[in-house]
Amino acid sequence: MTRTRKRARRDDSEPTNAGDTSPDDAAPQPSTAIHAAESPPAAANNGDASPRRGRGRPKKSSKRKDRVAEPMSPESERRLTRQQQAAEQNGHVNSSVGPGPEWETVVRVVPAMDAVVKVFCVHTDPNFSLPWQRKRQYSSSSSGFIIGGRRVLTNAHSVEHHTQVKLKKRGSDTKYLATVLAIGTECDIALLTVNDDEFWEGVTPVEFGDLPALQDAVTVVGYPIGGDTISVTSGVVSRIEVLSYVHATTELLGLQIDAAINSGNSGGPAFNDKGKCVGIAFQSLKHDDAENIGYVIPTPVIKHFIGDYEKNGVYTGFPVLGIEWQKMENPDLRVAMGMASDQKGVRIRRIEPTAPESEVLKSSDILLSFDGVKIANDGTIPFRDGERIGFSYLVSQKYTGDKTLVKVLRDSKVLEFKIKLQPHKRLIPAHINGKPPSYYIVAGFVFSAVSVPYLRSEYGKDYEYEAPVKLLDRHMHAMAESPDEQLVVISQVLVADINIGYEDIVNTQVITFNGKPVKNLKSLANMVESCKDEYLKFELEYQQVVVVKTETAKAATLDILAMHCIPSAMSDDLKP
């Protein structure tokens, strides 16, 4: 449907400036396009002396110096005064002030906007359900921005499982090949660089500002919905808290803002009113009861990621305390645990066996303080004026290998311990850090190690509701007993004569092999490959048992691999 509109007659005294809109930064509005199409050619008006000349370009006169300037209307004087004031506020004063502001005046509102780049990535994701192959490659676009040291920041999910990454600067028609230096899965940040010197010419790196306060104005800049020109949305900081990062299911400090963050905004900077970067846009809340809720990775998390890379040469991650704790808000519980009236803290429920603090801390210890900061009964600590935040924020400010002082209450005695902090070791990891998934096949039984991407591949994005209760319980509550422990399952059975009757086994955990516990996938593969017993016996959860003859199973494996075009019976990381 095409809508026809009549063009309104323009007042001859109204000032116009063709430079007020740049095609590099804003798509032409429909009204602008219609006006351009309907405007008559300038040459047709140059020789026209009729009174209608005001609709085209004013006629030039060779006797311009002899003409007397016509008096300016009061409305034009007021408009010109407002334009001069706006130019002075933006730090730009033009001695020959015309009827409108220069375009440079408008751009200077966000001076670092030229450092925002568009990120093009080709991804080739692993196929966790068929781990011997990869999925079909696909392309995505997101945002990023240039920082000091010839580096570019963007989101980790923007370049995850990348095959090729390219960057394009604002106003440029050239895409430059980029190299990924580090990917931080926990904080959803990635660090890139470009080897071509031309990319860095004429660009001023973005400067970081302090953590903003509530109601501070923020401006999110990026390339949402795949657009080729920069988009700017504004809002205010509406909440500051420790929140869950969707990409890695970790909890770190985050900013909630009411500016729109859409697909493609990921990795774009959020500026304060001084043009300093205060965060990276990375996720939004899609809910029927909520509108315009976006989230930004704040500068403390960004600086921790950059400092970690500069300190170690690689990304080592955010350490954790490695405990599960309980609030001590109930007065009877505090008395029963031997707490004095002036003591506050949280009760340690469980300690991860792989954590260094498992050697000194005990269950039912009351954690009173961390690094000298007292912890309240609800697990919060003071945070700036009039604010409180979860004490895990203090832990996230540390680096891997740092030592910290904790104070606990045990048997009514206050004890102090120095603990070395390490990254979280999950039984079911949230990521495999860009590595291909591990697998092992024998007699058509496909053995895999469970991870969150594996669950998502098997049960979809709603795996937390669709996956078996047994797996979800292990995912939510189980702790690894050793650093190399994995949850090994029979993911599927490639049907053959040797495995008749076992076809329905899907995603069932393997407990033991020939009476020996299965600690991880590599140990299972080694035990099966070196087995000299007559039978291979796998004990599964719920007391299921799988038994096949050893010699027949190993002979049938080669035929099954050939039938399904599988290059190897095991992934490269399991090979001796």
Side-chain angles (χ1 to χ4, degrees):
M1 177 178 178
T2 303
R3 181 181 298 175
T4 303
R5 295 191 299 175
K6 294 183 179 180
R7 181 179 56 186
R9 177 170 295 179
R10 187 179 64 199
D11 186 1
D12 291 348
S13 63
E14 180 179 354
T16 59
N17 189 346
D20 286 346
T21 302
S22 169
D24 291 337
D25 296 282
Q29 299 298 322
S31 60
T32 305
I34 292 174
H35 288 178
E38 293 178 354
S39 297
N45 291 329
N46 286 343
D48 187 3
S50 66
R52 298 179 60 213
R53 191 182 64 208
R55 295 182 60 184
R57 174 179 290 182
K59 183 178 179 180
K60 296 182 180 179
S61 173
S62 57
K63 299 181 180 180
R64 187 175 184 89
K65 61 182 180 179
D66 298 327
R67 296 177 60 187
V68 178
E70 297 180 0
M72 185 176 296
S73 66
E75 178 62 26
S76 298
E77 290 179 350
R78 287 194 296 269
R79 185 180 295 109
L80 185 59
T81 302
R82 288 196 299 267
Q83 292 169 353
Q84 290 174 327
Q85 293 175 349
E88 293 174 355
Q89 290 176 356
N90 288 327
H92 180 80
V93 179
N94 189 355
S95 58
S96 57
V97 177
E102 295 292 336
W103 176 242
E104 289 80 0
T105 304
V106 181
V107 173
R108 291 191 181 185
V109 175
V110 184
M113 194 179 294
D114 285 338
V116 181
V117 299
K118 188 172 183 180
V119 181
F120 300 86
C121 184
V122 178
H123 309 258
T124 309
D125 292 349
N127 190 335
F128 288 87
S129 298
L130 302 173
W132 50 85
Q133 63 185 29
R134 286 182 174 264
K135 295 182 180 179
R136 185 187 184 97
Q137 71 179 20
Y138 66 94
S139 300
S140 71
S141 65
S142 56
S143 308
F145 58 98
I146 297 172
I147 62 172
R150 294 166 62 100
R151 297 172 297 185
V152 175
L153 283 181
T154 186
N155 281 145
H157 72 261
S158 299
V159 295
E160 188 178 31
H161 303 302
H162 61 277
T163 301
Q164 184 186 74
V165 181
K166 292 183 289 187
L167 305 179
K168 187 175 78 169
K169 295 192 297 183
R170 177 187 178 213
S172 172
D173 60 350
T174 304
K175 297 178 183 177
Y176 299 86
L177 285 174
T179 302
V180 179
L181 299 177
I183 295 180
T185 54
E186 291 93 344
C187 57
D188 199 6
I189 305 176
L191 192 64
L192 318 175
T193 189
V194 174
N195 294 326
D196 195 334
D197 294 336
E198 182 182 353
F199 176 82
W200 307 102
E201 293 177 359
V203 178
T204 302
V206 167
E207 296 182 4
F208 290 105
D210 297 329
L211 184 69
L214 292 177
Q215 294 187 334
D216 279 2
V218 290
T219 302
V220 178
V221 183
Y223 295 86
I225 322 297
D228 289 328
T229 56
I230 277 182
S231 171
V232 179
T233 56
S234 300
V236 298
V237 177
S238 55
R239 181 178 293 171
I240 303 175
E241 64 179 349
V242 175
L243 55 87
S244 178
Y245 282 36
V246 173
H247 183 59
T249 64
T250 54
E251 293 188 349
L252 296 170
L253 185 66
L255 303 180
Q256 177 181 307
I257 62 175
D258 62 358
I261 295 179
N262 299 301
S263 176
N265 265 126
S266 295
F271 294 106
N272 60 15
D273 54 1
K274 298 180 181 178
K276 300 288 185 70
C277 176
V278 294
I280 303 175
F282 76 118
Q283 67 189 37
S284 60
L285 179 61
K286 304 297 183 184
H287 195 276
D288 293 340
D289 297 331
E291 296 180 358
N292 284 349
I293 295 182
Y295 296 98
V296 171
I297 305 171
T299 47
V301 179
I302 301 172
K303 291 179 179 179
H304 186 285
F305 168 81
I306 298 175
D308 185 13
Y309 175 78
E310 293 176 345
K311 179 180 178 181
N312 302 297
V314 294
Y315 172 73
T316 63
F318 286 74
V320 296
L321 194 53
I323 64 171
E324 292 182 357
W325 52 272
Q326 175 186 357
K327 295 180 180 180
M328 294 294 293
E329 295 177 309
N330 186 277
D332 294 337
L333 179 59
R334 293 198 296 270
V335 173
M337 298 301 298
M339 295 179 65
S341 58
D342 60 339
Q343 289 179 325
K344 295 181 179 180
V346 293
R347 174 181 173 268
I348 297 176
R349 292 168 47 210
R350 294 197 299 168
I351 306 170
E352 292 186 1
T354 58
E357 54 267 28
S358 62
E359 300 178 359
V360 293
L361 299 182
K362 295 182 179 180
S363 178
S364 290
D365 282 350
I366 306 299
L367 184 61
L368 302 176
S369 67
F370 181 92
D371 244 8
V373 180
K374 293 182 179 181
I375 301 173
N377 291 326
D378 62 351
T380 62
I381 58 170
F383 183 69
R384 302 196 301 193
D385 293 337
E387 298 179 67
R388 299 192 68 86
I389 198 169
F391 80 92
S392 61
Y393 168 72
L394 295 176
V395 184
S396 66
Q397 296 300 295
K398 300 290 184 179
Y399 292 92
T400 300
D402 286 356
K403 290 186 177 181
T404 186
L405 180 67
V406 296
K407 186 181 296 185
V408 300
L409 179 69
R410 180 186 302 169
D411 299 329
S412 300
K413 297 181 180 179
V414 177
L415 305 176
E416 293 185 352
F417 299 102
K418 276 217 165 185
I419 296 175
K420 185 178 181 180
L421 299 176
Q422 296 292 336
H424 193 190
K425 169 56 184 171
R426 299 174 183 264
L427 179 63
I428 298 181
H431 282 271
I432 59 172
N433 298 323
K435 301 176 183 177
S438 301
Y439 71 92
Y440 175 66
I441 303 174
V442 62
F445 298 96
V446 181
F447 298 91
S448 299
V450 179
S451 62
V452 171
Y454 175 84
L455 294 175
R456 191 176 290 114
S457 175
E458 289 286 294
Y459 302 103
K461 63 180 181 179
D462 295 327
Y463 68 92
E464 293 178 330
Y465 303 96
E466 303 294 337
V469 175
K470 191 83 170 181
L471 284 179
L472 291 177
D473 179 70
R474 303 280 283 169
H475 168 51
M476 297 298 295
H477 304 294
M479 293 181 173
E481 298 292 332
S482 61
D484 58 350
E485 183 180 359
Q486 292 177 319
L487 183 62
V488 180
V489 297
I490 296 178
S491 63
Q492 62 176 308
V493 179
L494 304 176
V495 177
D497 293 343
I498 192 173
N499 52 47
I500 290 176
Y502 300 131
E503 301 93 339
D504 296 333
I505 298 178
V506 177
N507 291 328
T508 305
Q509 183 182 355
V510 183
I511 307 299
T512 65
F513 169 73
N514 285 0
K516 298 180 180 178
V518 176
K519 187 170 64 171
N520 52 49
L521 193 56
K522 188 174 182 64
S523 67
L524 174 63
N526 291 337
M527 288 190 293
V528 174
E529 290 295 311
S530 60
C531 180
K532 303 298 181 181
D533 297 343
E534 184 178 0
Y535 292 98
L536 304 177
K537 182 180 179 181
F538 303 93
E539 294 184 11
L540 313 180
E541 60 183 348
Y542 302 116
Q543 286 75 48
Q544 295 186 75
V545 177
V546 170
V547 178
V548 291
K549 200 168 185 178
T550 303
E551 184 178 351
T552 309
K554 293 184 177 180
T557 300
L558 296 177
D559 294 334
I560 294 172
L561 295 177
M563 180 183 299
H564 293 273
C565 301
I566 301 174
S568 176
M570 65 181 71
S571 53
D572 292 340
D573 60 318
L574 302 182
K575 294 178 180 178

